[in-house]
């Protein structure tokens, strides 16, 4: 499966009361990967929501990724995204199997991306490229990093942090494969607008 296009990420506060409707609207517009990102420790709600999102993803032929939680990903038979403090990649690969999609946060450090590739990651993620409402304190990354990453790491490259329709095109032009977006996709009341934005993000990969 080719990892290229919009990588939609949920946010429990932003999507409170409209998680499924806004996610379905995004899927309608086209989503390559959907990440369920819930930073709470409400295990029952997390399981219920992740199961619901998996059903939606299956209907639209989209892969679901669970943020932080490899055991939950294993329970559902889906992929996982792990940050630098979310546990090692190698045991996650053993747990989830060779076909699972496993992503790794590499901030702005090429060495972390090379290590992630060695340890079996499916894609590497760099960021934050712009000011982020969701995670303002994330370490900053510069767009020049992307050409270096392309040369040194043979994996799909995800970019994240403050990405909107107004600033995403240069990231794609400099080698990004996946645009990982929360607020720039879901930060709007109208489900129709979410669908429009999803289509517009994907159109950036058309040429
Ligand atoms: C695609 C993607 N890239 C980076 C992150 C950030 O992961 P992490 O550093 O573990 O931070 P949290 O998202 O867990 O707060 C991500 N989730 N997805
Ligand atoms: C979850 C996350 N990780 C980041 C990193 O740089 O690693 S930035 C970020 C927030 C992404 O949300 P938004 O699209 O609303 O800025
Ligand atoms: Mg994490």
């Amino acid at each position: 499966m080719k990892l290229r296009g919009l990588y939609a990420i949920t946010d429990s506060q932003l999507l409170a009361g409209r998680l499924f409707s806004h996610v379905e609207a995004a899927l309608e517009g086209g989503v390559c990967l959907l990440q369920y990102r819930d930073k709470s420790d409400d295990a029952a709600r997390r399981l219920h929501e992740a199961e619901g999102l998996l059903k939606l993803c299956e209907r639209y032929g989209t892969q679901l990724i669970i943020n932080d939680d490899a055991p939950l990903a294993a329970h559902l038979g889906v992929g996982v995204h792990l940050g630098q403090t979310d546990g090692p990649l190698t045991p996650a690969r053993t747990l989830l199997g060779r076909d699972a999609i496993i992503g790794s946060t590499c901030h702005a450090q090429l060495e972390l991306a090379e290590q992630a590739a060695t340890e079996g990651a499916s894609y590497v993620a760099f960021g934050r490229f712009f000011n982020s409402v969701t995670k303002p304190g994330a370490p900053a990354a510069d767009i020049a990093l992307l050409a270096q990453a392309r040369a040194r790491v043979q994996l799909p490259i995800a970019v994240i942090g403050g990405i909107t329709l107004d600033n995403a095109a240069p990231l794609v032009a400099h080698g990004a494969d996946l645009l990982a977006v929360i607020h720039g996709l879901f930060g709007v009341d109208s489900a129709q607008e979410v669908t429009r934005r999803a289509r517009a993000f994907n159109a950036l990969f058309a040429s």
Side-chain angles (χ1 to χ4, degrees):
M1 184 220 177
K2 199 162 163 55
L3 298 184
R4 191 165 163 80
L6 174 62
Y7 186 172
I9 304 182
T10 69
D11 178 280
S12 300
Q13 278 81 49
L14 184 65
L15 293 175
R18 57 187 188 190
L19 174 69
F20 296 114
S21 54
H22 265 35
V23 165
E24 182 155 19
L27 293 171
E28 194 70 44
V31 172
C32 179
L33 296 178
L34 176 77
Q35 182 185 125
Y36 175 56
R37 181 174 179 272
D38 176 289
K39 303 300 285 185
S40 82
D41 54 7
D42 185 340
R45 184 170 55 82
R46 285 164 58 76
L47 176 61
H48 169 75
E49 290 184 347
E51 284 175 337
L53 292 178
L54 178 56
K55 280 195 193 119
L56 270 180
C57 283
E58 284 172 346
R59 202 177 326 140
Y60 283 86
T62 295
Q63 299 272 344
L64 179 66
I65 307 292
I66 304 293
N67 188 45
D68 292 343
D69 191 341
L72 178 57
H75 175 77
L76 296 172
V78 301
V80 72
H81 183 94
L82 296 175
Q84 290 299 317
T85 58
D86 297 327
L89 279 172
T90 308
R93 172 59 70 202
T94 305
L95 179 69
L96 298 181
R98 50 181 279 196
D99 293 335
I101 297 173
I102 301 182
S104 175
T105 297
C106 301
H107 302 299
Q109 298 177 47
L110 294 171
E111 299 73 22
L112 291 178
E114 287 174 328
Q115 187 185 340
T118 304
E119 292 176 359
S122 313
Y123 69 83
V124 290
F126 295 105
R128 137 194 78 88
F129 284 91
F130 306 104
N131 292 333
S132 170
V133 178
T134 309
K135 201 164 181 179
D142 189 272
I143 199 164
L145 177 74
L146 294 176
Q148 298 166 39
R150 277 254 81 96
R152 279 173 55 175
V153 185
Q154 311 306 310
L155 286 177
I157 294 172
V159 292
I160 190 165
I163 296 172
T164 68
L165 283 169
D166 291 334
N167 61 28
L171 295 170
V172 177
H174 282 76
D177 297 294
L178 291 161
L179 294 171
V181 189
I182 301 178
H183 207 271
L185 175 66
F186 289 122
V188 65
D189 286 336
S190 157
Q192 287 94 329
E193 174 61 9
V194 173
T195 303
R196 187 196 72 80
R197 289 182 182 188
R199 287 202 179 104
F201 276 117
N202 282 303
L204 297 174
F205 293 90
S207 53

